[in-house]
Amino acid sequence: MSKEVHDEVIGLMSQDVMGDWCFDFESSLFSRILNVTIEANDESDNRPRKNQYEAYCWLKENEDKLKELLQSSIYQQYQNNLAEIRSSWGPEAEENAPILSDSAEIWVLLSKPDICLLSEYADICVHLETKWDPEHGVTVLIENGTVKRVE
């Protein structure tokens, strides 16, 4: 059973059995409502930390910048590993790992975004499923409005 609270900044949030908070976020970037997770912390009330509120506000105000960060960083990683990726797909390479001529084309290979506001390591974690690596997908860690790491 989850606990629900109305937060002054975020709105309605529910807490799962692991202590993480979840809320709906209407995303213009992904053209749908996303369920965002706020990673649990070890404080007694387990409410989101200041940095998680700041990450939420940044996310809300900077979806265009988020799109640019995701697009450029994922495209760069894809391009850097393309030969190996295509080799692993063999005859299905063109369908699952096509050669892209522009970073904007990366979006056709991405789906099912998950967003988490972290308590450590980075501010925002965005995980997307990918056509080229359906088992693992791609994760982008963002800190202070810049890409910290792509995994």
Side-chain angles (χ1 to χ4, degrees), residues 41-57:
N41 62 61
D42 55 7
E43 296 172 14
S44 61
D45 69 354
N46 196 24
R47 295 299 294 255
R49 293 181 177 171
K50 181 181 179 204
N51 70 305
Q52 291 169 314
Y53 282 116
E54 290 169 351
Y56 167 73
C57 291

Side-chain angles (χ1 to χ4, degrees), residues 29 58 61-71 142 144-146:
L29 169 58
W58 186 90
E61 296 168 5
N62 292 283
E63 277 201 278
D64 288 340
K65 179 163 182 167
L66 178 64
K67 179 179 181 180
E68 292 169 21
L69 291 172
L70 294 174
Q71 182 173 308
I142 299 168
N144 298 321
T146 60

Side-chain angles (χ1 to χ4, degrees), residues 28-104:
S28 58
L29 169 58
F30 296 106
S31 301
R32 64 185 211 188
I33 294 176
L34 302 177
N35 187 266
V36 176
T37 301
I38 300 177
E39 184 179 62
N41 62 61
D42 55 7
E43 296 172 14
S44 61
D45 69 354
N46 196 24
R47 295 299 294 255
R49 293 181 177 171
K50 181 181 179 204
N51 70 305
Q52 291 169 314
Y53 282 116
E54 290 169 351
Y56 167 73
C57 291
W58 186 90
L59 175 66
K60 197 170 146 182
E61 296 168 5
N62 292 283
E63 277 201 278
D64 288 340
K65 179 163 182 167
L66 178 64
K67 179 179 181 180
E68 292 169 21
L69 291 172
L70 294 174
Q71 182 173 308
S72 63
S73 63
I74 295 170
Y75 177 76
Q76 186 63 48
Q77 185 196 50
Y78 180 76
Q79 292 297 94
N80 289 344
N81 297 297
L82 188 57
E84 181 182 337
I85 294 167
R86 287 180 64 82
S87 173
S88 70
W89 277 103
E92 297 172 345
E94 198 53 45
E95 179 184 343
N96 295 300
I99 295 170
L100 305 178
S101 58
D102 182 76
S103 66

